Amino acid sequence: MDRLQRIRRYLKTDLRVLRWVFGGLYVAVLGALLALAATSGSSDGVFALLLLVLLGCGIAAQCMFIFGAGTIRLCQPMRKRRLVFPIVVASFMFGLLGLGLLVAMEELIEPLLRRAAWDGDWIPWTILGAAVLNWLVWGVIFWQRYRLYPRHTTLVGMVRWLLVGSLLEVLVCVPAHIVVSRRPGCLVGLGTMLGIVAGLCVMVFAFGPAIVLLFLRPRHRAELAAAGNGVRYCDVCGYDLRASVERCPECGTAFGNAAAPDRR
């Protein structure tokens, strides 16, 4: 048990190990996608080219999301022109999630629409308009919520929203895909599969900025300590010690007076 506790403390030490593990997994996923594009045959050249373009656009969007917002003075609010970059990217990702979800739900309720004898010509334009509206609405929400927040808090909050949104979309679209795939036809399940792919793409996108933020966390804590606002963190597990006395409630490490040796 003591060995397990030591392993747990080692892994939780400011996430110095886990952030490299997550970074390695993320690089492995990108490498696998690049290898898939490189090993595609001549008949799949269009697919390989499309995959490379999408990967390049995703990496560029990640760089614009993190470094466009800035990585200096993480405890201070961003300027308005700096805040535009992460908001545009994050709201676009939510627009992509909304588009995938609407396409999946349209395929799920297609039998009901057919029974109602509704004309389907307006459906694609309605889905596209709803996706654009979703992009704009999330942009306004992010602007109103994070325009006065510190830089680090803003980036962490947007990444958290992206991860939660992508996970919810996958959880919704997977059961829909199971239901739709049982219907007769050669292209059944295409819309729900697009919804699942949209959720996975946004999830993979959000992992990149999340890993960068893990590496920026020590700098953020150093800025908090330099500000002299009384914030203190455990040297072992990184737990917030503002409400703790003598020992860290997370890992049990002594600090302050409790860390001093007994002289009796």
Side-chain angles (χ1 to χ4, degrees):
M1 181 62 68
D2 184 57
R3 179 175 296 180
L4 292 177
Q5 289 292 335
R6 284 185 293 176
I7 294 175
R8 179 172 174 269
R9 293 176 187 177
Y10 176 73
L11 293 177
K12 288 180 67 65
T13 303
D14 200 22
L15 291 177
R16 295 173 185 173
V17 177
L18 289 181
R19 62 188 182 185
W20 286 104
V21 173
F22 292 149
L25 291 175
Y26 187 72
V27 171
V29 171
L30 293 182
L33 293 176
L34 290 175
L36 178 63
T39 56
S40 299
S42 58
S43 59
D44 298 330
V46 177
F47 169 73
L49 180 61
L50 179 61
L51 184 59
L52 288 174
V53 171
L54 291 177
L55 284 176
C57 293
I59 294 174
Q62 288 174 344
C63 293
M64 185 173 65
F65 182 82
I66 291 293
F67 300 106
T71 57
I72 308 298
R73 297 179 180 177
L74 297 173
C75 297
Q76 295 185 5
M78 284 185 286
R79 298 178 181 178
K80 292 183 179 180
R81 60 182 180 85
R82 286 281 193 177
L83 188 58
V84 170
F85 290 102
I87 285 180
V88 169
V89 175
S91 58
F92 176 79
M93 290 300 161
F94 268 100
L96 180 61
L97 287 177
L99 179 61
L101 182 63
L102 289 174
V103 171
M105 293 301 101
E106 187 274 333
E107 186 179 31
L108 180 64
I109 65 174
E110 183 181 4
L112 299 178
L113 297 177
R114 194 182 304 114
R115 291 177 186 175
W118 285 359
D119 187 8
D121 294 338
W122 56 272
I123 295 179
W125 295 105
T126 303
I127 292 177
L128 183 60
V132 174
L133 181 62
N134 185 35
W135 180 16
L136 297 176
V137 169
W138 276 106
V140 173
I141 292 175
F142 284 144
W143 178 269
Q144 293 295 329
R145 180 175 178 81
Y146 293 113
R147 58 193 176 93
L148 299 178
Y149 276 59
R151 179 176 281 107
H152 186 268
T153 305
T154 299
L155 295 177
V156 170
M158 290 185 183
V159 169
R160 187 181 293 116
W161 277 101
L162 288 175
L163 288 174
V164 172
S166 60
L167 180 60
L168 290 177
E169 173 146 348
V170 171
L171 292 177
V172 171
C173 291
V174 167
H177 180 70
I178 295 175
V179 173
V180 172
S181 60
R182 297 179 179 178
R183 299 173 184 171
C186 58
L187 294 178
V188 293
L190 180 60
T192 52
M193 180 58 68
L194 290 177
I196 297 174
V197 170
L200 293 177
C201 287
V202 175
M203 187 181 299
V204 172
F205 168 86
F207 265 111
I211 294 170
V212 174
L213 289 171
L214 288 180
F215 282 92
L216 292 177
R217 194 169 73 162
R219 183 191 298 177
H220 176 243
R221 290 181 172 177
E223 291 185 9
L224 287 176
N229 53 3
V231 180
R232 184 178 179 181
Y233 297 94
C234 178
D235 296 332
V236 176
C237 66
Y239 192 84
D240 192 338
L241 301 177
R242 281 177 290 184
S244 305
V245 179
E246 294 184 348
R247 289 187 177 274
C248 174
E250 180 68 18
C251 64
T253 303
F255 64 92
N257 295 330
D262 190 357
R263 299 181 180 274
R264 291 179 297 177

